[in-house]
Amino acid sequence: MTQTSAPDLTALVLVGTLTPSPTPSSSELLGRQVLAALGEHGVTGEVVRVVDHDVRPGVQKDMGEGDAWPAIREKMLAADILVIATPIWMGQPSSVTKRALERLDAELSEQDDEGRLLTYGKVAAVAVVGNEDGAHHVSAEVFQALDDVGFTIPAAAVTYWVGEAMGSTDYQDLDETPQTVTTTTRTLAANTAHLARLLRQRPYPPAS
């Protein structure tokens, strides 16, 4: 059921395309469609194409002068929902996506005043595009990483599109979004917003 209340949740969509702006990106397109679907449930947010920023390799929250990750991290910590939108390359999440996940490893050392990870209570979802099979494998890798660093995964929290094997059509080249993708994206949005709202009302207990 669509929520019509005033927006009270926020989301950050991190896009792992290898292509810098302003070149169009299929993974960004699907990520923006997820954000639009979340908007039907009182969620506002923004999209960050990670490759447009100088995110340094590493597993610390700040890798020194010029590192763009601290500013992205602040956006993530301020949001209730994190969406990772990634293409499939060689059957894997993109290297840009993996770099962002590696940087999230630093959250294992960050706690609130009650001993909980700062990511506890934040909900994560995944969007995947590619021209070969592998969406389940890619989402499984990303989900495991997000769970490891404290995010909560809702039911049916992945939407994806994969083209014909060895084909040349990108998601952004389709004349219209397939109905199955639209339906899956709307389910993702409904479940993700629902769980984020529940966790805001009933946070995880303090660390024992």
Side-chain angles (χ1 to χ4, degrees):
M1 180 171 156
T2 300
Q3 304 238 358
T4 56
S5 57
D8 62 347
L9 295 173
T10 58
L12 174 67
V13 180
L14 292 183
V15 178
T17 178
L18 303 182
T19 307
S21 299
T23 303
S25 159
S26 289
S27 48
E28 179 167 332
L29 173 59
L30 186 53
R32 289 189 179 278
Q33 290 174 339
V34 170
L35 188 59
L38 285 168
E40 298 178 8
H41 300 273
V43 182
T44 59
E46 66 176 303
V47 175
V48 173
R49 195 184 290 205
V50 178
V51 75
D52 290 341
H53 305 272
D54 186 10
V55 174
R56 305 288 172 80
V59 292
Q60 304 300 319
K61 63 181 183 180
D62 190 338
M63 297 301 297
E65 183 177 357
D67 182 20
W69 181 254
I72 296 174
R73 178 177 180 267
E74 287 302 311
K75 295 176 185 291
M76 182 270 295
L77 291 177
D80 301 287
I81 297 166
L82 175 66
V83 179
I84 300 291
T86 182
I88 301 170
W89 285 112
M90 302 180 75
Q92 303 287 322
S94 74
S95 58
V96 174
T97 299
K98 289 187 175 184
R99 179 166 295 190
L101 295 175
E102 288 167 351
R103 295 304 298 271
L104 286 171
D105 185 77
E107 301 308 320
L108 294 174
S109 302
E110 303 296 318
Q111 298 179 347
D112 66 12
D113 293 338
E114 295 185 303
R116 296 170 294 206
L117 296 182
L118 302 183
T119 48
Y120 276 20
K122 298 185 184 300
V123 177
V126 176
V128 184
V129 292
N131 285 319
E132 59 188 271
D133 196 9
H136 287 172
H137 172 76
V138 167
S139 61
E141 284 200 19
V142 177
F143 278 144
Q144 182 60 57
L146 293 169
D147 179 75
D148 281 349
V149 297
F151 289 90
T152 300
I153 311 300
V158 60
T159 185
Y160 63 88
W161 177 88
V162 288
E164 182 182 4
M166 300 184 185
S168 59
T169 301
D170 288 337
Y171 182 63
Q172 61 186 338
D173 297 330
L174 301 178
D175 293 333
E176 59 183 5
T177 302
Q179 184 58 47
T180 51
V181 177
T182 298
T183 300
T184 302
T185 298
R186 295 187 68 184
T187 299
L188 176 158
N191 292 352
T192 300
H194 176 72
L195 183 55
R197 195 164 276 113
L198 288 177
L199 286 174
R200 175 182 281 189
Q201 295 169 353
R202 297 291 299 272
Y204 285 109
S208 57

